[in-house]
């Protein structure tokens, strides 16, 4: 204790001494010696120095700055100030003020200015210190390093795009290669964030970038490749519709020329860029897989921009070269970018598959894995056509020494649909071989066998017939032969009854009883499909009769159609395909999951069971969301029809799902709803966004579209419970986009309402943001910012279509990731024994009673439900349904309520018979009704939970 | 200045690569190979063409050898030891290490065949002492003016392309190279250089090869099927290169597929070569370099030494045996034992010299081979033909030429008709002048010569500051001209005028100098002259004015009113230019107009004199740059009334 005090005393004495000596020399108008500066520095970086001392240090520095203008001294002073500002955040304002003083920041020496600028930048406190004119004049100065620093940080200094564009474009002519590189990088950033629709500018930048593809320096060429890609994409967007394909092809070819560059970095960039150009015609794609120039491309030349002619032959064999590149990074990047392109053409996918199969022989594991991932991707997008010559090569991956490779291969096999028995047999043999060499894979091999058997019922039966002697117990009643092998065949056999094919019931029932003896191991392998009890039930059921009807057996429900599962996320980010893979499932949310189930009053065991079952489905659903994101980029490119096609295909895929297993319906319904929202959004977007084209739809039609979109959005945001905050935020993003779209179109904009909704949504977003500490998307931040700006600038700022249009540019669809299991709120409404033949009785003028049999799914007690009964548009009435008053007749685990509710219908007409339409609506709290309030009706907009039910009434004859 | 290339070998043929290039007074011999197909004097290049007197030391600055293949190095001991060249010889480290093995092997074979010995073991050793080894990308200053630098070429271990620069003239000689990597070597790699000349091999001038994966797959499948069925695989290869490549391929496959079948190397050269490969890791492919720290790829795990007793041992195996093409030696011995069983497999390289057993096996599928009068071999084994090649294909050559974009290209080391095709392609597609000379011909091409010039201070200062200008580059699309709807295509382009502001001045007897354009007048002691046009035109007054007022019109309207009226007219009609009203004068760019009060203005055309009372004269002047604009304005003025 005493020693510490002693030390402190000594230190403060030393500080005092330093400060005093400095003060003294300053009082004598002597500049500070370097030694003094050094001791000052020691004070500054010592964390024990008290603030009071530092204030006097600052004071001394500011005085000495006025005294001394020697550049070397100024340089040291600058360093001291920057140290001070970074070590003591609370003193940094004073330090920064000094930095900005005349002698440093505004000094005539560009080097000092550059240094102080980089200090200011590193402290992230550049404000309005530098205006456009000063920026430009500094850039134009002779100091190259200052120029480079300024260019690199230009976007932090926020200027008008036009200034930045001029500066960046100009400096692509600089004789210093690093300046050229920074200028190109700047152009890329500008292109990503900016809003350009002047074709001259776009062409200018594109051409300049193309010129720099031939630069002597590697890093300039890499930057040029990026710039060509980004500006090229912009060029495609701004092309007229009939030229879009051609310009897109031309940009693709231009980038394809770079895959033979001698620099690895350039090649990497080139493949990355190739994958980003979405729309490429099939001929060109096929050309990339052949080093010989294809006949069809012999004389094909493109001219995207005047003076930039390029021939299709330039891209010949681009992928061949990429896939046999010396560097595994390049090979991986090539595999990855192929993956995105196979979506567009089946023929291309088939040819690419050939190459991918060859890549399975690659010496690098990551490349092999990426190749398998690409194949898996093809399989999930239905572009996988396995042929016999492939199957050997493919199956050899099953005996690969790397377990990741093997598991990925099995994953693909689970999806396979094989046309011939021969191929099927080869696959089974391959799996058996796998099992033999790597017994540790047993569980997954069983799972693969089960899936593959289920997908090929007839073949399975056939193969079981062949091997049944092997499976019969030898003398002594023991299954002794080759235990694991027999087990494998048993797994295959028991999958047959679940096949989707007809008449596959030829598996002898005793096989199922044999399987029971392996119950533990088999159920371990099939744990992703069913638990042990279920399996046992299933097996005993099957062993009892040879012809079982699965209709009354509930197993099929439990077995979700595992048509697909999400591929292993090989690459953590889409932008960098060469980042090392991580083999971690994107799960890790089970805690959240758990809670959700518990809150719904379920037993934990049940929740756990469901969890296992649904992870498969969730993976699949998330894969769909991933695809949707890809489609959205097509929408942004202006190819709405193509995107729409894709979305529709997704919808069909999701719809084909057997959704009746408990809990899965929510996820399926949610996905469908999401697809519908995106579809509508794409439709509206397609009609509002491209200004080049005349809107084919009139305002009226557009209004209808908007109404539909609103309804969909309302449904998705209100009819699902159990969404996490992050998920909810993503949906709110979409609501915001819809609002902005509406606001950006003057003709259809009902300004106040839309603005109100916008504001309330933003408020809700903010609330969620605060609650859950979730990162907001860039788009939302933009919207918030500009709303805030608009708010503060003027009050009459509500309708600014241009502002909203600009905001829309910052929107990019994020990939939706479903973590939990959303519950779908829906209801069934029926009137027992009522049809046009058997109408309900009524007496004209007197209220009629309508008995409604209502089933509610997942409706929370606190939600406000309304029964809407309408005869015509004018005579609509709402009846409030108080859930607290309703006795829950049958409380089930699924939170299903069934009850009968007698609704009165007041305004019966004077007629002999009439029909009314009834439906159930849920009040959405966030959206207030804009129109004149219906007396006694709901205060907010309703989301309808069931289709309208027609009810027939007839004048009572009894009275 | 010019570059002279004398082709001593490999001109329109494959074999005895040798090229003597005179470049700015320096003479370099690239490669010194021998032709394997001849045993007479045609075997060696005709060295007498270099120097009639045999004084090679003065005739040549240096010899550069690209790699250790005999058709590139075979004549070197002969040239140094027999012909007596004593100057420097450059080659890469691996080439220096491995070349003696190759030469010694060749010499022994010659011995065995009973041919006259061209050089002895001592010759080889002596020759190697003269060699100066170089590393990749190491710039070697051969003498004051000549710089050479080696670049990675693939092909075989240690193969290099050589860059040579004398003064301002620069060239690259590729030797043999491969633009695609294989299992043990990388692809050729070179910087983007400014070249006058590129001399490239053109073995596959018209062939375009598929991906190597297919070939590898076929090979692995054949081998795997054979050993899986318990057969033995014989791979006769030469000691260096292919043996290592195939072995790495097999080793990797063995590892992945968990195969335990033994792989053998026949003793001798191959083992020794493997040792060299292990040391020359830096010259192998990326993958091997990367993993070298943990596992040296040439440390073959599954490879064992072969013993004669193992030939008839039971069980499957794979054996690499020298020499290739089964010309004799150990590979023949094993072949005789294994050929009769159909379980066994023999893989043959893509190319076998006629007369060898390899060649016989490839042409048709013989069941019996007569070794000599007494011995006959029953051949029932399977034959697999390898089609790996360490040479680049036509696309690779084109890619390299395109990447380097030299001013001229010379093709060597290829077959004449195919070279002609490639030459045409290079000329038409890349616009590069291309030659394919025959042996003993000389090609002369011009070379670059830079003139050194001083620069003035002003010019240097102006060069320091960026000075870019944007222009809307416009060109009229011709196709629209017919329909009278000329559509201007405009595009934003940027240019930096720093250099164009300089002017090169060469005064008699003085060094050339670059000065800034502003300095030229001062330097020449001249004045700046500008051409100005002037024209005084009358403009009719509007008739709406009362006649009586016309008499005092000039006095009534002061000049500035007239000018402002004119300004209004112009601003209505003129679409371009910025009209400045300076009171008594109007200015549009350099065009100035003012009211002319002098009756005998020299710029007035007498014929245009009308009723003077109704017109006002305007005096216009403009500089030559704005001529178009000026006439536009004048025509407006003529056609309107004030």
């Amino acid at each position: 204790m005493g020693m510490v005090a002693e030390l402190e005393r000594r230190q403060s004495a030393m500080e005092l001494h330093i400060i005093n000596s400095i003060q003294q020399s300053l009082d004598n108008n002597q500049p500070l010696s370097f030694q003094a500066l050094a001791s000052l520095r020691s004070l500054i970086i010592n964390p024990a120095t008290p603030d009071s001392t530092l204030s006097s240090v600052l004071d001394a520095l500011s005085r000495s700055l006025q005294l001394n203008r020697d550049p070397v001294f100024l340089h040291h002073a600058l360093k001291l100030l920057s140290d001070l500002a970074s070590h003591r955040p609370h003193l940094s304002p004073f330090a920064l003020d000094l930095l900005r003083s005349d002698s440093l920041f505004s000094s005539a020496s560009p080097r000092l200015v550059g240094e102080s600028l980089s200090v200011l930048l590193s402290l992230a406190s550049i404000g309005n210190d530098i205006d456009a004119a000063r920026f430009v004049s500094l850039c134009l100065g002779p100091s190259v390093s200052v120029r480079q620093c300024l260019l690199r940080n230009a976007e932090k200094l926020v200027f008008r795009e036009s200034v930045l564009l001029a500066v960046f474009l100009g400096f692509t002519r600089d004789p210093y290669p690093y300046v050229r590189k920074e200028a190109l990088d700047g152009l890329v950033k500008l292109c990503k964030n900016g809003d350009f629709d002047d074709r001259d500018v776009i062409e200018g930048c594109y051409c300049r970038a193309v010129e720099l593809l031939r630069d002597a320096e590697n890093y300039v060429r890499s930057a040029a490749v990026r710039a060509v890609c980004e500006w090229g994409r912009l060029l495609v967007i701004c092309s007229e519709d009939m030229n879009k394909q051609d310009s897109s092809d031309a940009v693709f070819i231009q980038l394809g020329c770079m895959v033979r560059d001698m620099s690895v970095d350039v090649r990497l960039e080139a493949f990355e860029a190739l994958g980003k150009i979405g729309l490429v015609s099939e001929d060109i794609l096929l050309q990339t897989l052949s080093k010989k120039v294809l006949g069809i491309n012999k004389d094909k030349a493109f001219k995207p921009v005047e003076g930039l002619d390029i021939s299709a032959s330039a891209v010949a064999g681009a992928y061949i070269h990429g896939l046999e590149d010396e560097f595994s990074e390049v090979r991986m990047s090539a595999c990855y970018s192929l993956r995105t392109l196979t979506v567009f053409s089946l023929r291309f996918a088939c040819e690419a598959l050939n190459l991918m199969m060859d890549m399975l022989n690659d010496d690098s594991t990551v490349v092999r894995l990426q190749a398998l991932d690409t194949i898996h991707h093809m399989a999930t997008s239905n572009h996988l056509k396995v042929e016999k010559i492939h199957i050997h090569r493919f199956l050899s991956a099953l005996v690969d020494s790397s377990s990741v490779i093997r598991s990925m291969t099995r994953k693909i096999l689970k999806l396979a649909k094989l046309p011939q028995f021969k191929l099927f047999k080869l696959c089974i043999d391959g799996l058996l071989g796998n099992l033999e060499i790597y017994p540790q894979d047993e569980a997954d091999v069983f799972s693969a066998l089960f899936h593959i058997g289920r997908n090929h019922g007839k073949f399975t039966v056939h193969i079981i017939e062949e091997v049944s002697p092997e499976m019969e117990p030898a003398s002594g009643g023991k299954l002794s032969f080759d235990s694991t092998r027999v087990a494998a065949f048993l797994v295959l056999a028991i999958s047959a009854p679940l096949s989707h094919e007809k008449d596959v019931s030829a598996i002898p029932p005793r096989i199922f009883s044999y399987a029971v003896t392996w119950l533990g191991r088999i159920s371990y392998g099939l744990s992703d499909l069913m638990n042990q009890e279920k399996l046992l039930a299933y097996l005993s059921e099957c062993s009892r009769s040879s012809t079982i009807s699965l209709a009354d057996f509930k197993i099929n429900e439990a077995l979700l159609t595992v048509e697909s599962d999400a591929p292993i996320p090989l690459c953590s980010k889409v932008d960098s395909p060469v980042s090392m893979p991580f083999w971690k499932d994107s799960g890790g949310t089970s805690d959240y999951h758990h809670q959700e189930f518990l809150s719904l009053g379920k037993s934990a065991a049940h929740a756990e069971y469901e969890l296992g079952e649904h992870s498969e489905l969730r993976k699949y659903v998330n894969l769909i969301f991933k695809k949707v994101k890809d489609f959205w980029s097509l929408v942004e490119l202006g190819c709405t029809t193509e995107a729409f096609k894709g979305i529709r295909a997704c919808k069909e895929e999701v719809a084909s799902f057997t959704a009746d297993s408990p809990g899965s319906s929510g996820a399926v319904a949610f996905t469908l709803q999401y697809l519908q929202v995106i579809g509508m959004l794409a439709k509206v977007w397609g009609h509002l966004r491209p200004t080049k084209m005349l809107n084919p739809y009139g305002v009226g039609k557009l209004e209808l579209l908007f109404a539909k979109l609103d309804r969909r959005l309302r449904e998705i945001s209100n009819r699902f419970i159990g969404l996490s905050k992050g998920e909810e935020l993503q949906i709110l993003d979409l609501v915001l986009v819809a609002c902005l779209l509406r606001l950006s179109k003057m003709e259809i904009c009902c300004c106040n309402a839309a603005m109100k909704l916008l504001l309330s949504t933003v408020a809700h977003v903010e609330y969620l943001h605060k609650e859950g500490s979730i990162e907001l998307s860039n788009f939302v931040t933009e919207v918030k910012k500009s709303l805030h700006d608009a708010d503060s600038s003027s009050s009459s700022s509500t309708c600014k279509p241009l502002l909203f249009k600009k905001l829309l540019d910052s929107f990019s669809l994020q990939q939706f990731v479903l973590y939990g299991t959303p519950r779908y709120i829906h209801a069934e409404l029926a009137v027992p024994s009522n049809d046009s033949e058997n109408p309900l009785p009524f007496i004209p003028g007197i209220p009629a009673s309508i008995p409604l049999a209502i089933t509610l799914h997942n409706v929370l007690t606190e939600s406000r439900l309304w029964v809407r009964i309408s005869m015509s548009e004018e005579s609509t009435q709402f009846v409030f349904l108080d859930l607290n008053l309703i006795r829950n007749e049958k409380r089930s685990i699924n939170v299903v309520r069934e009850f009968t509710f007698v609704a009165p219908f007041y305004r019966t007409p004077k007629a002999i018979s009439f029909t009314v339409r009834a439906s159930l609506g849920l009040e959405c709290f966030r959206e207030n009704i804009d129109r004149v309030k219906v007396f006694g009706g709901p205060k907010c907009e309703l989301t309808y939970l069931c289709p309208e039910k027609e009810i027939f009434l007839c004048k009572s004859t009894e009275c | 200045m010019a570059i002279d290339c004398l082709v001593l070998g490999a001109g329109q043929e494959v074999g005895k690569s040798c090229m003597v290039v005179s470049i700015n007074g320096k003479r370099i011999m690239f490669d010194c190979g021998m032709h394997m197909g001849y045993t007479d004097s045609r075997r060696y290049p005709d060295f007498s063409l270099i120097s009639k007197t045999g004084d090679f030391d003065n005739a040549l600055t240096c010899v550069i050898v690209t790699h250790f293949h005999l058709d590139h190095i075979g004549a070197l001991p002969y040239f140094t030891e027999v012909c007596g060249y004593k100057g420097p010889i450059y080659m890469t480290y691996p080439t220096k290490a491995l070349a003696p093995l190759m030469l010694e092997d060749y010499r022994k074979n010659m011995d065995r065949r009973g041919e006259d010995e061209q050089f002895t073991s001592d010759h080889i050793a002596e020759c190697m002492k003269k060699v100066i080894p170089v590393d990749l990308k190491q710039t070697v200053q051969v003498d004051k003016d000549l710089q050479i630098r080696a670049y990675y070429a693939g092909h075989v271990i240690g193969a290099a392309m050589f860059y040579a620069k004398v003064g301002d003239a620069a060239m690259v000689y590729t030797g043999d190279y491969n633009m695609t990597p294989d299992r043990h070597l990388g692809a050729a790699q070179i910087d983007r250089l400014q070249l006058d000349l590129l001399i490239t091999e053109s073995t596959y001038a018209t062939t375009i090869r598929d991906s190597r994966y297919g070939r590898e797959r076929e090979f692995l499948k054949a081998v795997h099927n054979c050993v899986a069925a318990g057969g033995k695989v014989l791979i006769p290869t030469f000691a260096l290169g292919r043996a290592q490549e195939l072995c790495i391929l097999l080793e990797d496959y063995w590892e992945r597929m968990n195969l335990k079948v033994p792989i053998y190397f026949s003793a001798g050269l191959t083992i020794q070569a493997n040792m060299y490969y292990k040391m020359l890791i830096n010259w192998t492919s990326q993958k091997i370099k990367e993993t070298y720290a943990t596992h040296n790829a040439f440390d073959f795990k599954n490879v064992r030494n072969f013993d004669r007793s193992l030939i008839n041992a039971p069980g499957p195996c794979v054996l690499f045996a020298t020499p290739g093409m089964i010309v004799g030696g150990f590979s023949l011995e094993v072949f005789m034992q294994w050929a009769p069983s159909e379980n066994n497999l023999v893989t043959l390289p893509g190319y076998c010299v006629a007369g060898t057993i390899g060649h016989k096996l490839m042409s048709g599928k013989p069941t019996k081979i007569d070794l000599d009068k007494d011995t006959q071999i029953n051949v029932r084994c399977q034959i697999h033909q390898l089609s790996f090649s360490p040479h680049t294909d036509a696309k690779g050559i084109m890619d390299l030429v395109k990447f380097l974009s030299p001013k001229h290209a010379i093709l060597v080391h290829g077959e004449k008709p195919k070279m002609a095709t490639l030459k045409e392609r290079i000329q038409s597609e890349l616009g590069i002048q291309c030659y394919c000379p025959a042996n003993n011909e000389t090609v002369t091409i011009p070379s670059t010569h830079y003139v050194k010039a001083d620069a003035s201070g002003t010019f240097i200062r102006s060069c320091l500051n960026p000075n870019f200008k944007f222009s809307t580059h416009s060109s009229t699309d011709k196709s629209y001209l017919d329909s009278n709807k000329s559509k201007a295509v405009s595009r934003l382009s940027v240019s930096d005028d720093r250099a164009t502001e300089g002017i090169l001045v060469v005064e008699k007897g003085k060094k050339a100098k670059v000065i800034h354009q502003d300095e030229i007048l001062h330097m020449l002691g001249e004045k700046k002259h500008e051409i100005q046009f002037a024209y005084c035109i009358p403009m009719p007054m509007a008739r709406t004015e009362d006649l009586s007022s016309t008499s005092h019109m000039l006095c009534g309207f002061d000049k500035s009113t007239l000018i402002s009226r004119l300004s209004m007219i112009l601003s209505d009609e003129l679409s371009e230019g910025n009209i400045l009203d300076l009171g008594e004068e109007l200015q549009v760019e350099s065009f100035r107009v003012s009211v002319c009060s002098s009756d005998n203005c020299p710029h007035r055309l007498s014929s245009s004199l009308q009723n003077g009372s109704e017109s006002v004269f305007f005096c216009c002047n403009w500089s030559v740059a704005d001529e178009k604009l000026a006439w536009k304005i004048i025509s407006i003025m003529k056609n309107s009334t004030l």
Side-chain angles (χ1 to χ4, degrees), chain B residues 176-421:
Chain B
D176 293 352
Y177 62 99
N178 195 357
M179 292 288 280
T180 49
D182 64 25
R183 286 280 168 164
H184 74 309
L185 297 175
Q189 205 274 327
I190 195 165
D191 296 330
R192 187 161 273 193
L193 303 157
Q194 295 274 338
L195 297 180
D196 295 303
L197 173 66
L198 172 73
I199 303 173
T200 171
E201 66 135 322
S202 52
T203 322
Y204 293 99
T206 52
T207 317
I208 292 180
R209 227 176 292 118
D210 287 336
S211 155
R212 75 186 148 91
Y213 288 102
R215 304 191 290 272
E216 286 183 0
R217 189 205 323 141
E218 291 303 314
F219 170 72
L220 290 174
K221 198 172 143 195
V223 172
H224 192 167
N225 285 346
C226 177
V227 294
K232 293 176 161 64
V233 183
L234 172 65
I235 307 176
T237 70
F238 287 105
L240 292 167
R242 187 57 43 74
Q244 282 75 21
E245 184 190 348
L246 293 181
C247 196
I248 287 182
L249 183 60
L250 284 179
E251 175 92 0
D252 184 53
Y253 189 72
W254 252 233
E255 201 72 9
R256 258 189 301 130
M257 296 296 139
N258 245 327
L259 295 179
K260 297 286 177 250
V261 178
I263 301 175
Y264 296 111
F265 261 33
S266 73
L269 199 47
T270 321
I271 297 292
Q272 200 182 353
N274 273 352
M275 189 191 75
Y276 277 112
Y277 268 83
K278 258 187 249 179
M279 295 189 296
L280 300 171
I281 286 297
N282 200 25
W283 294 76
T284 55
S285 75
Q286 191 59 28
K287 153 90 183 170
I288 296 179
K289 277 189 265 183
E290 273 168 12
T291 52
Y292 149 74
T294 49
H295 167 63
N296 190 326
F298 296 102
D299 253 339
F300 300 113
K301 267 191 216 158
N302 297 299
V303 172
R304 285 156 230 181
N305 275 347
F306 198 66
D307 195 280
R308 270 204 173 68
S309 63
L310 289 168
I311 295 182
N312 286 317
C317 69
V318 178
L319 171 66
F320 285 87
T322 49
M325 307 184 206
I326 324 184
V327 285
F330 192 64
S331 57
L332 179 63
E333 196 181 326
V334 178
F335 177 73
M336 282 161 64
Q337 301 280 340
W338 289 2
S341 165
E342 59 244 350
N343 273 343
N344 297 342
L345 171 77
V346 175
T347 65
L348 294 167
Y351 177 74
C352 284
V353 176
T356 58
I357 293 180
H359 186 76
K360 280 180 201 159
L361 288 174
M362 268 162 53
S363 42
K365 196 166 184 321
T367 48
K368 284 188 172 68
I369 286 178
D370 297 316
L371 199 58
D372 50 49
K373 268 181 272 157
D374 319 314
T375 345
Q376 196 182 45
I377 311 171
N378 277 324
V379 182
R380 274 196 225 98
C381 63
Q382 308 150 46
I383 310 285
H384 179 83
Q385 201 182 327
L386 293 169
S387 47
F388 295 82
S389 171
H391 290 276
T392 181
D393 65 353
K395 180 144 194 312
I397 300 173
M398 288 298 282
D399 286 336
L400 183 80
V401 176
K402 193 176 171 192
F403 181 79
L404 288 174
S405 297
K407 296 200 180 77
H408 303 269
I410 292 179
L411 303 179
V412 292
H413 202 279
E415 291 159 37
K416 190 178 175 184
K418 292 181 180 171
M419 286 163 88
T421 318

Side-chain angles (χ1 to χ4, degrees), chain A residues 647-887:
Chain A
I647 291 175
R648 200 171 305 140
C650 279
K651 260 192 232 169
E652 278 163 21
E653 242 176 307
V654 176
S656 70
F657 243 61
T658 49
D660 35 18
S661 103
S664 73
S665 58
V668 173
F670 180 82
T671 316
L672 269 180
Q673 195 72 44
Y674 184 81
L675 285 170
Q676 264 161 348
V677 167
I678 295 295
M680 287 312 299
L681 208 54
K683 237 181 202 174
V684 176
W685 185 283
H687 290 300
L688 284 185
R689 293 297 297 153
T691 44
K692 294 275 180 305
M693 200 175 61
L694 281 173
N695 286 336
Y697 279 6
V699 171
K701 184 91 188 231
L702 210 53
E703 185 61 61
L704 276 178
L705 280 179
F706 265 119
K708 254 187 180 169
L709 175 62
D710 285 351
R711 206 181 73 225
R712 297 272 181 229
L713 278 171
R714 205 173 298 137
E715 283 181 6
I716 200 170
S717 38
N718 291 300
R719 288 186 67 179
F720 295 93
I721 52 175
L723 289 174
S724 71
K725 299 220 166 59
E727 287 160 345
E728 223 173 301
L729 273 176
Q730 287 206 37
I731 293 168
L732 288 177
D733 265 17
L734 299 179
V735 176
L736 282 179
V737 174
C739 286
L740 289 175
L741 278 171
R742 203 181 251 277
L743 284 168
S744 70
K745 191 78 180 169
M746 280 299 261
E747 301 93 296
I748 52 144
C749 170
C750 163
C751 224
N752 285 331
M755 201 61 200
K756 229 186 213 168
L757 182 57
L758 184 69
L759 289 174
S760 75
T761 312
V762 168
H764 192 66
V765 166
E766 267 172 351
Y767 165 72
L768 284 178
H769 174 52
K770 265 181 214 146
E771 281 273 291
S773 67
I774 301 158
E775 199 72 20
L776 286 183
S777 70
N778 189 24
F779 168 63
V780 175
T781 332
E782 279 302 303
V783 171
K784 265 172 67 184
K785 207 171 83 190
S786 61
L787 276 181
H788 187 260
D789 291 351
D791 239 23
S792 55
S793 62
S794 68
S795 53
S796 62
S797 63
T798 40
C799 263
K800 274 189 184 165
L802 280 178
L803 170 79
F804 298 123
K805 257 187 192 148
K806 204 160 150 32
L807 275 178
L808 279 172
D809 289 341
S810 59
F811 173 72
S812 66
L813 188 71
Q814 286 174 315
Q815 193 200 325
F816 194 91
V817 182
L818 192 66
Y819 288 119
T821 311
R823 320 232 104 211
Y824 184 40
I825 302 180
H826 62 120
E828 283 141 37
L829 191 69
V831 182
S833 64
N834 171 272
D835 55 39
S836 56
E837 298 298 309
N838 304 306
L840 292 169
F842 81 99
I843 300 161
I846 293 173
S849 70
I850 304 172
L852 296 168
I854 297 174
T855 316
L856 297 178
H857 296 267
N858 303 318
V859 176
L860 300 172
T861 334
E862 59 267 26
S863 43
R864 291 166 61 85
L865 280 185
W866 295 83
V867 182
R868 177 182 187 268
I869 307 175
S870 66
M871 201 163 69
S872 62
E873 221 18 76
E874 296 86 53
S875 70
T876 301
Q877 67 163 65
F878 292 92
V879 182
F880 183 64
L881 201 60
D882 193 345
L883 290 178
N884 292 320
L885 296 181
I886 287 157
R887 213 180 74 244

Side-chain angles (χ1 to χ4, degrees), chain A residues 92-136:
Chain A
S92 70
F94 304 104
L96 290 175
D97 279 345
L98 261 184
L99 257 177
R100 293 193 178 103
S101 72
D102 281 345
S103 39
L104 289 173
F105 188 59
S106 319
S107 90
S109 150
R111 192 180 140 199
L112 266 181
V113 176
E115 278 173 0
S116 39
L117 200 61
S118 57
V119 170
L120 284 177
L121 281 168
S122 70
L123 295 170
S125 77
I126 195 101
N128 310 320
D129 291 328
I130 185 161
D131 61 357
R134 183 148 167 73
F135 171 76
V136 172

